[in-house]
Amino acid sequence: MITVTTTSSSTRAKRGGEGKPLLSIRDFKVEYRTGSGATVQAVRGVDLDLFPGESVALVGESGCGKTTLGLGLLRLLPRLGHASGQVTFNRGDGTEIDILGLDGRDLRQFRWRDAAMVFQGAMNAFNPVLKIRAHMHDTMRAHTKFTKQEIEDRAGELLRLVRLEPSRVMDSYPHELSGGMRQRVLIAMSLLLEPEVLILDEPTTALDILTQRSVVDVLHEVRERLGFSMIFISHDLSLAAELADRVATMYAGRIIETGGVRDMFYRPRHPYTLGLIKAVPPIVGDLPDMESIPGGPPSLAALPPGCTFNPRCKYATEECKEEDPPLLPITDEPGDAHEAACIHWKDVHLQREVPSDLGNAS
Amino acid sequence: MSALEKSPETAGRAPLMTLGGVSQVFHTKAGPIRAVDNINLSVNPGEVLCLVGESGSGKTTAARMAAGLARPSSGEVAFEGTDIWALKRDDFTNFRRSVQYVHQDPYASLNPTRTIQQTITAPLLKHGVVKSKKAAAERAVELLTKVDLTPAENYLSKYPHQLSGGQRQRVAVARALTLDPKLIIADESTSMLDVSIRISVLAMLGRLRDDLGVGFLFITHDLAIAKYFGWHGKTAVMYLGRIVEFGPTPKIINAPTHPYTRALIDAIPEPDPDLTKTKGRESLRSLEIPSLAHLPSGCTFHPRCPLFEDGLCDGAVPELVTIRSGQSAACHVVARDGVAALDDEARSDEPRA
């Protein structure tokens, strides 16, 4: 019999004291070959640290490299993709592994055991002709020497953790489950081997509001019980506000702003983050003043010179066209780890109206 | 009792489109499925009516009936006061011109082998709105400018695959505008777009509504979008084929009365970390949406409803009744106890006995 909660929380607690990042990403790049010697850089030098127990949200429009970054971290890129840079995973016992150098057996061990991924579109992540039980057993048999009964117990335990009834779900085929149930099964499955890092790619996209809420609540709950760290990829800023401790905004393959969730939402300092926040209508309060970001993200094959955001930016000056600004710490408030890649960050302010009359319609 | 009778404004102006007691029943192997069950709705000229609900609630089926794409099993779909299924052939063609549909997926709704010019001029030439191809091209430029695709000349010779999602959706809107429609049915028209683009497409649609006086039947699962686009209009919340709450959009969003609407609004995360973490949330009794083939007895929301009362809710089907001025809901408990009781009981942490 395995008790998930006790084992994991104790190892996590030990690790937390070291103060070292769990996952350290330095100058991470991903190139896709696009035929006859041409390449496109989808991720162009990302630095990111994931600390134990932390939840980091990657936000941005489609085509800014969020998913490529997530796939690259688990070495799941398609054949035409090539990752370079330095990604170090710090196992609890002090060993550090270089993820980009992993091969064969070691790579298989790293996946699921150290880090697991929950994919977007829960239907495609399952084998449609296998029951959920077979998915669970296959995964466990490939990675552990558990007996059938142990696997059964472990799977049941995790399914109950995501508020599913094991007796009903285990014998179902993926198509027999609703979208929200499939997504929760996928979360349960990704936790089978107690990974320390979970990467979630748009975990609630394409789900109905109430179903989305149940998945978010389940994520809150399991994270509290199991204490894993997560990187979740989302275009939905509201979700980031709810689930993240730290937010990183990506644009054209780079992180252009990162900081604590409150810093990012109340004091964004990059015009792009500001624009994204202003484009999301809140549900409470009166009719908000919304603003959209003009244009669309640039083609990765033909990036504009200088700051890649300058053609869409209302703060842009001639200076912005000269150099792509590096991600630098912002020092206006001491103690926060807020960084932005914008030379005009001092001019960027969010005017947020506090919704005052909750529940009073005009 | 109908949502239509409840809205005071409808009395003065003649509604553009009315759905009166409309139902749609699909006959399947699993038995009859009531996708839409006896709904009453109306849209006035220049007004926005938002239809919100989860997938499977019957929003799109209702919209297809409003557009004349599906014939209701019972009830009447009237355009400018006349039943559309009683129209003569020519009048029906006129109706088709007056009501245009903008689909959800701009990747699928545009013909990939036609240029933007061909896409937009096809209805103009087909319906004989313009005399020559040259006039059609001029009109196309005008329409593209109206949907903010400028300079329009750059877009005329492009194919859909050369455009981004937002641009394609604008082309779809421009095509809908070719025949000067009086009503646009927008079925999740912005749900596939990036957040940054969504607002600008909605702003563009808002201008059409205000400048051209086009009525909108706006279908969305996203209440925040319904709020933004339909603030000055009305909102109907659908659940399993029935309208469960109807009223002016600000009331529906800020002071919902039906437990289902309240659950929907509570469930939405806010783009504000402090607010979203402190927002009060009731939990539903069940996460599963019942199948339309086996609807629960009485109020179809009762197996999930936090206000469920044994004997009351699983008995009769609740009628849509006025809860307060302009706002109606189909809920036995709210109808009996009124809004005050609901606010006290539902928002407290104590579960109901």
Side-chain angles (χ1 to χ4, degrees):
Chain A
M1 194 67 198
I2 332 105
T3 37
V4 195
T5 23
T6 47
T7 49
S8 33
S9 53
S10 59
T11 51
R12 304 281 143 84
K14 250 186 271 160
R15 175 196 272 292
E18 293 170 25
K20 262 187 165 176
L22 196 58
L23 196 63
S24 168
I25 305 160
R26 289 289 169 272
D27 197 29
F28 187 71
K29 289 178 181 152
V30 177
E31 276 183 351
Y32 285 116
R33 275 202 314 251
T34 52
S36 64
T39 57
V40 155
Q41 262 197 2
V43 177
R44 305 180 302 128
V46 162
D47 295 343
L48 186 70
D49 284 325
L50 179 70
F51 289 91
E54 198 181 34
S55 155
V56 174
L58 289 177
V59 298
E61 287 163 287
S62 17
C64 62
K66 308 185 296 285
T67 299
T68 300
L69 175 60
L71 291 175
L73 292 180
L74 283 192
R75 298 275 307 279
L76 289 167
L77 287 171
R79 206 169 283 252
L80 291 171
H82 173 75
S84 61
Q86 187 71 37
V87 183
T88 317
F89 179 81
N90 181 1
R91 275 210 178 109
D93 52 13
T95 49
E96 290 193 347
I97 41 179
D98 169 24
I99 295 175
L100 297 185
L102 288 180
D103 234 340
R105 222 187 112 103
D106 295 333
L107 181 59
R108 275 202 300 281
Q109 274 223 336
F110 166 73
R111 290 183 190 151
W112 293 89
R113 248 179 203 293
D114 292 325
M117 185 146 183
V118 177
F119 291 95
Q120 180 176 11
M123 191 67 215
N124 303 332
F126 289 107
N127 182 336
V129 298
L130 292 184
K131 289 182 177 171
I132 301 301
R133 168 168 286 118
H135 283 97
M136 297 277 187
H137 280 260
D138 283 358
T139 309
M140 289 297 271
R141 272 206 310 273
H143 290 269
T144 64
K145 292 200 164 64
F146 278 33
T147 62
K148 269 191 181 155
Q149 191 52 47
E150 282 172 330
I151 298 176
E152 203 67 13
D153 292 343
R154 172 104 184 111
E157 190 180 2
L158 281 163
L159 285 174
R160 271 189 293 273
L161 205 59
V162 296
R163 298 198 218 146
L164 289 170
E165 186 45 56
S167 58
R168 178 176 166 209
V169 173
M170 287 288 264
D171 285 312
S172 300
Y173 287 99
H175 75 267
E176 294 176 305
L177 304 175
S178 71
M181 291 168 89
R182 278 201 290 267
Q183 196 68 52
R184 281 180 283 155
V185 171
L186 216 51
I187 291 172
M189 245 173 82
S190 68
L191 295 170
L192 275 176
L193 290 135
E194 296 183 50
E196 297 206 53
V197 178
L198 199 58
I199 298 177
L200 300 115
D201 189 2
E202 304 272 10
T204 63
T205 308
L207 298 180
D208 270 317
I209 306 166
L210 293 175
T211 321
Q212 177 181 340
R213 169 55 46 199
S214 72
V215 172
V216 170
D217 287 348
V218 157
L219 275 175
H220 272 305
E221 250 174 55
V222 274
R223 202 159 78 89
E224 207 162 284
R225 294 267 309 264
L226 307 182
F228 52 87
S229 316
M230 64 186 193
I231 295 180
F232 76 93
I233 296 163
S234 179
H235 69 280
D236 184 350
L237 267 86
S238 309
L239 202 64
E242 171 135 0
L243 275 172
D245 304 321
R246 214 143 52 82
V247 180
T249 316
M250 283 193 77
Y251 187 73
R254 277 186 62 203
I255 289 179
I256 48 100
E257 185 170 8
T258 169
V261 66
R262 302 188 75 248
D263 277 329
M264 291 290 276
F265 276 91
Y266 299 128
R267 291 175 292 278
R269 290 312 194 116
H270 194 288
Y272 181 60
T273 313
L274 179 79
L276 285 180
I277 291 173
K278 280 193 156 178
V280 185
I283 191 78
V284 295
D286 278 338
L287 190 65
D289 193 18
M290 306 303 301
E291 220 176 279
S292 63
I293 309 172
S299 155
L300 290 165
L303 289 174
C307 171
T308 47
F309 187 59
N310 85 70
R312 303 171 72 189
C313 181
K314 62 177 176 187
Y315 298 88
T317 54
E318 277 307 306
E319 220 181 322
C320 296
K321 290 179 189 160
E322 281 158 24
E323 205 185 346
D324 203 2
L327 191 61
L328 291 175
I330 281 169
T331 47
D332 59 344
E333 276 145 73
D336 61 8
H338 195 169
E339 295 175 279
C342 176
I343 52 175
H344 298 296
W345 64 268
K346 282 192 172 128
D347 305 324
V348 181
H349 293 288
L350 173 67
Q351 304 291 335
R352 187 183 276 271
E353 297 132 48
V354 181
S356 48
D357 57 342
L358 295 175
N360 281 328
S362 52
Chain B
M1 292 280 188
S2 73
L4 169 63
E5 287 158 21
K6 295 291 162 258
S7 49
E9 288 99 308
T10 18
R13 279 184 287 172
L16 201 55
M17 162 78 64
T18 3
L19 302 187
V22 165
S23 303
Q24 177 78 273
V25 184
F26 295 118
H27 295 281
T28 67
K29 276 183 200 158
I33 289 189
R34 303 189 76 82
V36 170
D37 192 5
N38 190 21
I39 63 166
N40 293 284
L41 286 172
S42 73
V43 192
N44 292 330
E47 193 192 73
V48 177
L49 174 68
C50 297
L51 214 49
V52 299
E54 292 177 281
S55 23
S57 61
K59 308 182 298 273
T60 297
T61 308
R64 284 177 56 81
M65 287 191 286
L69 295 171
R71 193 166 183 161
S73 312
S74 62
E76 188 193 64
V77 179
F79 183 71
E80 295 183 324
T82 342
D83 184 352
I84 60 165
W85 294 102
L87 290 172
K88 290 202 189 68
R89 200 189 168 97
D90 285 358
D91 294 334
F92 195 76
T93 310
N94 270 333
F95 158 75
R96 277 260 197 271
R97 287 173 54 165
S98 305
V99 176
Q100 292 292 328
Y101 206 97
V102 179
H103 295 270
Q104 172 171 12
D105 186 352
Y107 292 82
S109 67
L110 298 176
N111 187 335
T113 65
R114 282 187 183 173
T115 63
I116 303 310
Q117 176 167 358
Q118 285 168 328
T119 294
I120 290 178
T121 54
L124 291 169
L125 296 166
K126 161 98 181 150
H127 284 269
V129 179
V130 289
K131 296 279 177 290
S132 66
K133 281 203 169 171
K134 188 163 166 281
E138 280 165 16
R139 183 91 179 103
V141 169
E142 207 177 295
L143 287 164
L144 287 175
T145 315
K146 218 174 245 170
V147 296
D148 298 333
L149 286 175
T150 47
E153 288 76 8
N154 292 0
Y155 291 95
L156 285 177
S157 58
K158 284 199 172 160
Y159 286 92
H161 74 265
Q162 293 170 299
L163 304 181
S164 69
Q167 290 169 335
R168 283 182 221 209
Q169 200 57 286
R170 285 168 199 274
V171 172
V173 174
R175 178 177 59 181
L177 290 175
T178 48
L179 301 169
D180 290 321
K182 292 175 181 161
L183 177 71
I184 291 182
I185 300 176
D187 188 358
E188 298 274 14
S189 300
T190 59
S191 62
M192 301 236 336
L193 305 178
D194 254 320
V195 274
S196 51
I197 295 151
R198 197 176 290 169
I199 292 302
S200 65
V201 171
L202 286 174
M204 181 266 291
L205 290 176
R207 267 205 325 278
L208 300 178
R209 169 196 64 202
D210 299 338
D211 300 350
L212 307 179
V214 181
F216 273 90
L217 181 58
F218 190 80
I219 296 166
T220 176
H221 69 279
D222 186 341
L223 278 145
I225 293 295
K227 173 188 173 182
Y228 180 70
F229 189 71
W231 188 253
H232 301 292
K234 302 210 172 61
T235 296
V237 182
M238 287 189 75
Y239 182 69
L240 295 177
R242 298 203 182 107
I243 293 173
V244 295
E245 184 157 10
F246 176 81
T249 308
K251 290 249 171 138
I252 299 286
I253 300 293
N254 285 337
T257 61
H258 195 284
Y260 177 64
T261 320
R262 297 160 74 89
L264 279 183
I265 288 178
D266 287 350
I268 301 170
E270 296 282 344
D272 181 324
D274 289 350
L275 192 61
T276 196
K277 280 165 195 157
T278 54
K279 198 170 163 181
R281 289 193 174 102
E282 279 174 58
S283 50
L284 292 179
R285 302 195 308 138
S286 156
L287 289 172
E288 306 310 322
I289 303 173
S291 151
L292 276 165
H294 307 283
L295 284 179
S297 63
C299 172
T300 49
F301 189 55
H302 87 254
R304 307 172 76 189
C305 183
L307 298 182
F308 171 70
E309 280 181 33
D310 205 6
L312 177 68
C313 297
D314 48 6
V317 175
E319 296 276 322
L320 198 60
V321 292
T322 308
I323 303 298
R324 59 182 153 211
S325 126
Q327 193 172 3
S328 44
C331 175
H332 290 302
V333 177
V334 174
R336 186 194 60 199
D337 297 351
V339 190
L342 182 101
D343 280 335
D344 294 342
E345 287 174 42
R347 295 284 155 167
S348 73
D349 295 327
E350 297 289 316
R352 278 181 72 92

